[in-house]
């Protein structure tokens, strides 16, 4: 199981600076998928292949530093594929 990060209140950005993070919509575009697929990944693989923990939460919306794109892409390449883990048994 992945270790959970401790949540703390964020600090304001410097004057004239806006901090940008990738949300599930943007991550979905990296893979040419809908953001709901990313949300499903986070739930479906929470125990067996946990999605990288977000760097920031805005309300209930998670965000990841864009510099973590290679880590997230590596996670996706290591994700269990179709047919892994069972499913309905074949008829005999």
């Amino acid at each position: 199981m992945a270790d959970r990060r401790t949540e703390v209140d964020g600090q304001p950005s410097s004057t004239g600076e806006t901090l940008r993070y990738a949300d599930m919509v943007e991550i979905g575009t990296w893979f040419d998928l809908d953001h709901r697929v990313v949300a499903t990944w986070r739930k479906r693989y929470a125990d067996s292949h946990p999605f990288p923990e977000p760097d920031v939460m805005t309300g209930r919306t998670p965000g990841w530093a864009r510099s973590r794109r290679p880590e997230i892409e590596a996670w996706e390449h290591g994700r269990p594929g179709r047919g892994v883990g069972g499913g309905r048994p074949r008829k005999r």
Side-chain angles (χ1 to χ4, degrees):
M1 179 134 177
D3 56 334
R4 293 283 180 186
R5 295 182 178 192
T6 302
E7 290 186 14
V8 296
D9 287 339
Q11 300 298 312
S13 62
S14 302
T15 303
E17 177 179 78
T18 299
L19 302 175
R20 299 268 312 179
Y21 292 90
D23 60 5
M24 288 188 283
V25 172
E26 184 172 344
I27 291 172
T29 65
W30 296 348
F31 301 102
D32 199 27
L33 298 169
D34 190 86
H35 72 279
R36 290 172 287 207
V37 173
V38 179
T40 299
W41 287 347
R42 294 186 70 216
K43 292 176 190 170
R44 179 175 293 157
Y45 302 110
D47 293 330
S48 62
H49 187 62
F51 196 82
E53 287 290 322
D55 296 303
V56 65
M57 293 293 290
T58 303
R60 297 184 320 169
T61 304
W64 292 263
R66 290 177 169 170
S67 61
R68 293 181 65 195
R69 182 174 179 165
E71 175 189 357
I72 293 169
E73 288 174 339
W75 176 90
E76 196 280 330
H77 291 300
R79 180 174 61 86
R82 177 177 278 191
V84 173
R88 178 180 282 189
R90 292 181 180 216
K91 291 183 179 180
R92 295 188 188 250

